[in-house]
Amino acid sequence: MKLLTHNMLTSHVKGVTKGYPLLIKATEVKTNEVEFNPQFVSRMIPKLEWSALIQAAEELGHRQDLPGELVPDYEKDEEFLKRVHRVLLEVEVIEGFLQCPESGREFPITRGIPNMLLNEEEA
Amino acid sequence: MSSQEEGAADQDPNTEEPSSSSSSDNDVTTGDIITVTIGATVPTGFEHTAAEEVKEKIGVDARISKDRGRIYFPITTDKLFQVHLLRSVDNLFVVVEEYDHYQFKGSKEETLTELQQLASKLPWTNALEVWKLNRTLKKKKGYRKGGNGAKVKPNSVATNALVPDSELPQEISAAESQTKVESTPDVESCKHEAEEAAPQEMSAAESQTKVESTPDVESCTHQAEEAAPQAKVIKFRVTCNRAGDKHSFSSNEAARDFGGAVQEFFQWKADMTKFDIEVLLNIHNVEVVIGIALTEESLHRRNISHFGPTTLRSTLCYGMLRLCKPQVSDVILDPMCGTGAIPLEGAIEFNSSFYIAGDNYDMAVNRTVNNICHIQKRRVDKGSPSGLPIDTVRWDLCNLPMRTSSVDIIITDMPFGKRMGSRKKNWDLYPSCLREMARVCRPGTGKAVLLTQDKKCFSKAISRMGGLWRKLHTVWVNVGGLHAGVYLLKRTGAVFGQTPEDVYESRGTVNTQGDEKDVKELF
């Protein structure tokens, strides 16, 4: 699971109103090289919940000194974009759990695949 | 990239193409660039997207045949390699001759006889040049197709008596001038060719059995590789596709008789399974096209190594992706991904977007991940960064664990009710998932490309969602023999949660009254 995906995932347990962002408890993390496309990164940033991304990166130990808030003109800062690229696409959680911040419900991650299926009672 | 062609064309200065070549317009000498027409078979319904891809990657206009599922375009031999970059084509062939209005004779006998006579009159030269050239390209790209069977063992080759090259042409064919083409000029220039060229005991029977299966002498990296096939009897087959109700003959009969004449003319050996050359005879009403295949196995399953019960052809996936025109940084979701064919094709071909593949079935998500890993390994082998912009999640598509309005495009193959799921289930499934997809899709700019065979159920479901989805375009396609539709939808600007459709709970039974009446009943 890449952090870009994590940024869009949310807990949908019945009754939960603050199911985002999911907490990450990783037991195995890998990095994988992905071709860098600066345009991709700069256009993706506005679609992200930035603080959730920073929090997740922090949880995995890959924050790389990224700022807690976006600095203006980041589109032109290639160094910055490269670091964001790394955090969004190159860091992957292979084994672990995602946890609903409100209900505490855990969603396992195996082979990089988070299992978000709910039981009948939870849906 | 033109170095690939040099291998075949330019390194044989001593040889000359026979000027008695029967193709009238082109003065072909090996090494010249010639223009030929290429035919491509594409998923029916996606002819226009394929033509678009040809325009984009090759820069020429393709014409769409009346024979559905085929497009034709011109190409110069120095650019031939480009055809292998096309992702929307299943199979490629080089046209030998085309007849727009072929006059078939009245009786079957006369028609078949005429077809036989045709074989010796066709302008084979250029097409065969392209066929040869194409083999070079494929070898250099490291293509290893299984179709041609066993490898040649160098030993078996060496045991055959060596025949001086000059004798080759006579050995090969009766009609010498025509067939010098395949007794390749390449042979003469190559120092090592004697060994590989060895099995020239052209007598039909014997040495064939040892070395015939593949001309690909894989151990030899010298240009002799190209020499090998032409140095011994070429094996071929004729494939005939016939459509139309006014023909007096069957495709089998045409293939048989035309094939017989081709064999007679070139002195090739017929072999239906292990062939070097596949001659295509396509007859669609009065349109007749004769071609030589450039692809050995259909390209359509290129990405998938782990199949599921309903895995889509990659060419169909590509066509669907082109329809939705992925932009840089688009988040593209396949909520019912099966084996991941669609998002994987996207991650490879439209790689400046990001793909999330999801399914509720554990075997499906596992196969998807296996397919992704397979591609990644291939990339590592080629020395490219292996990572792909794709992720896989296991989820229930009617209750997606995704933030509202976070997705730009939804693209998926919806259960058909025949190969997967059931018609009854679709009545419930389609409205629920269309609503959930509308929730996660970005209002105003979002799009969906949905493939389904259950057109009735789908249309009904969509017609009740006018507030959230608008139909832009439909492409009718053929999927495994089933007639299906690819629906291109636009997400309206309406915010989810405020239109009547998403307030209204989906009902199990279908109401045949007009939509407006249904909606009014709620308030």
Side-chain angles (χ1 to χ4, degrees):
Chain A
M1 182 199 70
K2 298 174 165 61
L3 292 187
L4 175 48
T5 305
H6 167 264
N7 201 261
M8 293 180 272
L9 288 176
T10 172
S11 165
H12 51 310
V13 175
K14 194 160 62 179
V16 163
T17 47
K18 292 200 172 72
Y20 181 87
L22 292 157
L23 305 166
I24 309 179
K25 297 191 184 158
T27 49
E28 189 186 330
V29 176
K30 271 204 195 138
T31 52
N32 201 4
E33 196 193 338
V34 178
E35 214 176 296
F36 173 60
N37 177 348
Q39 236 195 1
F40 173 91
V41 182
S42 61
R43 291 201 194 170
M44 187 61 85
I45 289 173
K47 300 180 186 179
L48 302 169
E49 287 291 328
W50 185 255
S51 50
L53 178 67
I54 296 301
Q55 185 184 322
E58 186 86 54
E59 282 176 301
L60 297 183
H62 278 269
R63 183 165 170 175
Q64 302 172 94
D65 297 325
L66 286 170
E69 268 172 32
L70 286 167
V71 181
D73 284 340
Y74 61 75
E75 307 90 355
K76 304 184 187 136
D77 185 348
E78 183 145 313
E79 242 329 289
F80 171 75
L81 293 178
K82 278 205 178 124
R83 280 185 283 152
V84 179
H85 163 84
R86 186 164 174 76
V87 132
L88 284 179
L89 296 176
E90 295 189 329
V91 177
E92 295 191 58
V93 179
I94 306 295
E95 301 285 329
F97 291 94
L98 291 174
Q99 187 175 45
C100 172
E102 187 177 315
S103 67
R105 206 299 196 176
E106 285 183 335
F107 299 95
I109 304 176
T110 14
R111 290 187 78 203
I113 309 167
N115 182 351
M116 308 299 294
L117 288 176
L118 295 171
N119 308 322
E120 293 216 354
E121 319 86 62
E122 298 170 309
Chain B
M1 281 274 200
S2 57
S3 57
Q4 292 176 329
E5 289 79 337
E6 280 162 24
D10 300 336
Q11 288 172 20
D12 36 340
N14 302 322
T15 65
E16 46 186 81
E17 261 324 283
S19 51
S20 53
S21 125
S22 58
S23 61
S24 43
D25 20 292
N26 297 295
D27 297 314
V28 182
T29 52
T30 324
D32 278 4
I33 291 170
I34 55 180
T35 303
V36 289
T37 302
I38 299 289
T41 53
V42 304
T44 320
F46 281 103
E47 294 88 351
H48 288 279
T49 34
E52 244 180 55
E53 193 194 8
V54 168
K55 183 79 187 178
E56 181 190 296
K57 294 187 179 164
I58 302 182
V60 294
D61 290 318
R63 65 190 148 86
I64 296 165
S65 161
K66 291 182 223 95
D67 188 0
R68 295 191 73 206
R70 289 214 174 79
I71 64 169
Y72 294 95
F73 57 92
I75 200 163
T76 50
T77 42
D78 58 332
K79 302 254 165 40
L80 187 66
F81 69 93
Q82 288 174 347
V83 302
H84 293 293
L85 302 175
L86 297 172
R87 308 288 288 188
S88 48
V89 307
D90 287 319
N91 280 297
L92 290 161
F93 58 92
V94 54
V95 173
V96 175
E97 188 65 277
E98 288 181 81
Y99 300 94
D100 277 339
H101 288 95
Y102 192 87
Q103 307 280 10
F104 286 105
K105 291 270 180 305
S107 74
K108 182 201 293 204
E109 227 175 73
E110 287 177 300
T111 308
L112 291 174
T113 308
E114 196 178 55
L115 271 181
Q116 287 173 14
Q117 290 166 350
L118 196 58
S120 53
K121 299 185 204 153
L122 293 170
W124 294 99
T125 318
N126 284 3
L128 285 168
E129 270 306 304
V130 170
W131 170 80
K132 254 191 280 171
L133 177 58
N134 186 60
R135 301 200 90 163
T136 324
L137 291 179
K138 289 203 285 197
K139 278 185 199 137
K140 287 191 177 172
K141 288 181 102 167
Y143 278 53
R144 301 274 295 247
K145 303 291 189 175
N148 279 342
K151 293 186 191 194
V152 178
K153 293 191 184 24
N155 295 331
S156 62
V157 168
T159 55
N160 288 300
L162 300 183
V163 176
D165 302 327
S166 54
E167 286 183 28
L168 284 175
Q170 289 108 32
E171 300 275 347
I172 289 180
S173 139
E176 201 181 273
S177 55
Q178 295 299 340
T179 57
K180 262 190 185 178
V181 153
E182 66 277 353
S183 60
T184 182
D186 298 355
V187 175
E188 275 83 90
S189 64
C190 174
K191 299 187 200 78
H192 301 300
E193 95 272 324
E195 284 163 330
E196 284 80 42
Q200 268 124 54
E201 317 286 49
M202 295 306 176
S203 52
E206 32 154 32
S207 55
Q208 305 309 330
T209 47
K210 272 200 164 182
V211 297
E212 73 222 357
S213 37
T214 181
D216 303 354
V217 184
E218 271 128 0
S219 52
C220 174
T221 52
H222 187 83
Q223 196 216 317
E225 273 180 331
E226 293 90 67
Q230 285 72 33
K232 48 184 170 35
V233 167
I234 294 210
K235 299 174 81 189
F236 83 108
R237 65 165 280 158
V238 171
T239 306
C240 176
N241 286 306
R242 187 198 65 77
D245 36 4
K246 302 218 175 84
H247 301 134
S248 56
F249 57 91
S250 73
S251 58
N252 282 340
E253 289 166 334
R256 179 198 66 206
D257 285 8
F258 184 69
V262 168
Q263 177 169 22
E264 194 52 47
F265 182 62
F266 285 114
Q267 292 294 293
W268 290 338
K269 188 175 150 73
D271 190 322
M272 297 305 270
T273 50
K274 291 179 182 167
F275 47 89
D276 306 310
I277 295 187
E278 183 181 10
V279 175
L280 304 167
L281 176 58
N282 292 329
I283 303 172
H284 184 79
N285 292 321
V286 294
E287 192 185 86
V288 175
V289 178
I290 297 110
I292 296 180
L294 297 177
T295 47
E296 284 168 21
E297 61 193 45
S298 193
L299 301 167
H300 62 81
R301 292 238 191 272
R302 57 181 167 251
N303 298 333
I304 304 297
S305 47
H306 294 80
F307 286 94
T310 59
T311 299
L312 267 193
R313 297 189 267 178
S314 298
T315 43
L316 196 46
C317 296
Y318 180 83
M320 286 174 69
L321 283 158
R322 261 201 98 95
L323 260 188
C324 65
K325 301 195 205 299
Q327 303 297 304
V328 177
S329 87
D330 272 349
V331 175
I332 302 183
L333 203 76
D334 183 347
M336 295 179 257
C337 67
T339 50
I342 299 174
L344 191 47
E345 179 71 19
I348 296 168
E349 269 303 298
F350 298 92
N351 60 3
S352 37
S353 303
F354 185 74
Y355 299 82
I356 305 182
D359 205 292
N360 63 338
Y361 188 34
D362 60 352
M363 284 201 73
V365 293
N366 278 318
R367 282 198 187 118
T368 300
V369 166
N370 289 343
N371 284 322
I372 295 171
C373 287
H374 177 79
I375 299 289
Q376 286 178 326
K377 272 201 208 99
R378 230 168 57 182
R379 288 159 74 96
V380 168
D381 291 342
K382 282 194 210 164
S384 327
S386 63
L388 289 166
I390 183 169
D391 239 336
T392 312
V393 182
R394 192 166 167 206
W395 62 35
D396 169 11
L397 96 129
C398 294
N399 196 355
L400 290 169
M402 301 272 298
R403 278 195 282 129
T404 298
S405 308
S406 55
V407 171
D408 295 291
I409 297 175
I410 296 180
I411 178 167
T412 195
D413 172 4
M414 301 178 78
F416 286 168
K418 266 192 181 168
R419 293 195 289 169
M420 200 116 224
S422 69
R423 283 287 158 94
K424 183 170 181 301
K425 275 199 207 145
N426 288 353
W427 284 125
D428 299 328
L429 184 64
Y430 280 18
S432 316
C433 72
L434 280 169
R435 278 212 332 279
E436 187 65 351
M437 294 197 293
R439 178 185 71 79
V440 303
C441 198
R442 249 181 268 280
T445 53
K447 283 177 282 200
V449 177
L450 309 172
L451 167 65
T452 179
Q453 195 237 343
D454 202 343
K455 306 176 281 282
K456 189 169 162 199
C457 180
F458 184 82
S459 290
K460 187 78 191 175
I462 271 293
S463 66
R464 303 167 120 204
M465 303 228 162
L468 294 167
W469 292 112
R470 215 179 64 219
K471 255 204 258 187
L472 282 186
H473 184 51
T474 309
V475 179
W476 301 108
V477 299
N478 189 300
V479 183
L482 303 171
H483 191 239
V486 175
Y487 296 87
L488 176 60
L489 307 173
K490 184 96 175 152
R491 174 70 170 86
T492 64
V495 171
F496 188 80
Q498 291 168 13
T499 60
E501 292 93 346
D502 50 66
V503 171
Y504 167 66
E505 206 95 37
S506 72
R507 301 203 291 228
T509 53
V510 176
N511 195 326
T512 50
Q513 304 283 339
D515 296 332
E516 283 181 344
K517 185 162 186 254
D518 288 344
V519 167
K520 284 189 189 128
E521 280 171 332
L522 293 175
F523 296 95

